[in-house]
Structure formats: structure tokens, C-alpha cells
Amino acid sequence: MLAIVGPSGAGKTTLLGLLGGVEEPDSGQIFVGGRNLLRLGAAERLALRRRFRPHELSGGEQQRVALARAMVKSPLVLLADEPTGQLDSDTGLAMFTLLREMAASGTAVIMATHDDALVEGADRVLGLADGRIRADQQD
């Protein structure tokens, strides 16, 4: 489980977008599960990041449904942008517990967060500032 931390505008969401194949890098390559995302077609990238996000659900409900769906699929990688951001503390703790269970079962959980509890519970922490990795905050 990797927590990506940094102030607003540091590049956390952009990094998740790159890893999910939503955005393309200016240079370099991105491999997920041994596959180069830049060599995949749009339909193949879409298949890697399929979601279930109905607009009639609240943000917290959408997060829980997306996580439940991911758990059923047992993905290689789970990208989570502020997974507890719209949740009360009890539900946030339950969400974190489920994320830890997924990580323990072999899913690489990569999350962007401002939540100190998630950072403390992560296996590794990657700090970003101005789109660059902070040398003082990486495991």
C-alpha cells in the first residue's frame, strides 16, 4: 500500500491519472502489470479502469460501491484518490480496513491522500511537491 502525499497542486491526482492511463506523460513510459500503457488502445485502457459511478449516489456511496466492485474483481492495482475524503471517521476507518485487506491479498493499493491516518497505515509513502518527488518524504 502506497500513500502519495503533498499539498494541493503537487501532482497527486495527475500521477494517479497517469498510472490509470487517463493521462499521457510528456516523456517516459508507464508499465502496469507488465503492460506499457502507451501501447494500449483507448478501449484497452478503458477496460483497465472500468468503474461503476452512478450519479444518483452520494460521493461516499460511490466510493463504497467502487471499492466493493474492485474487491470482487481482485485487481492487480487499485488507484484511490482521497478514498476517505467524503466519509465520516467511522466509515473512513472501515474503508481503510478494506483497503488494507486488499493490499494484504496482493492488490497494489496506490492512494493520494491528505488523511494522516492513511499515511501512517501505508506501507510506503511518496511525497510530492510541484510535480516532483520530495527527497525528504519517500520510503
Side-chain angles (χ1 to χ4, degrees), residues 10-98:
K12 298 179 301 292
T13 298
T14 299
L15 179 57
L16 289 179
L18 289 165
L19 294 173
V22 176
E23 298 187 36
E24 292 190 16
D26 295 332
S27 63
Q29 300 179 58
I30 301 171
F31 288 85
V32 175
R35 299 174 72 187
N36 186 339
L37 292 184
L38 299 178
R39 294 202 175 157
L40 299 179
E44 291 173 298
R45 286 193 312 269
L46 179 62
L48 285 176
R49 63 177 184 269
R50 288 260 161 152
R51 297 187 210 175
F52 178 66
R53 296 180 59 103
H55 298 291
E56 64 271 8
L57 298 176
S58 71
E61 289 170 327
Q62 289 178 20
Q63 287 174 290
R64 291 189 295 271
V65 167
L67 182 60
R69 201 159 174 236
M71 290 180 77
V72 169
K73 297 283 188 176
S74 299
L76 181 65
V77 178
L78 176 71
L79 304 175
D81 194 357
E82 294 292 346
T84 60
Q86 298 180 30
L87 305 176
D88 61 75
S89 58
D90 288 339
T91 306
L93 178 60
M95 178 75 72
F96 177 70
T97 300
L98 293 173

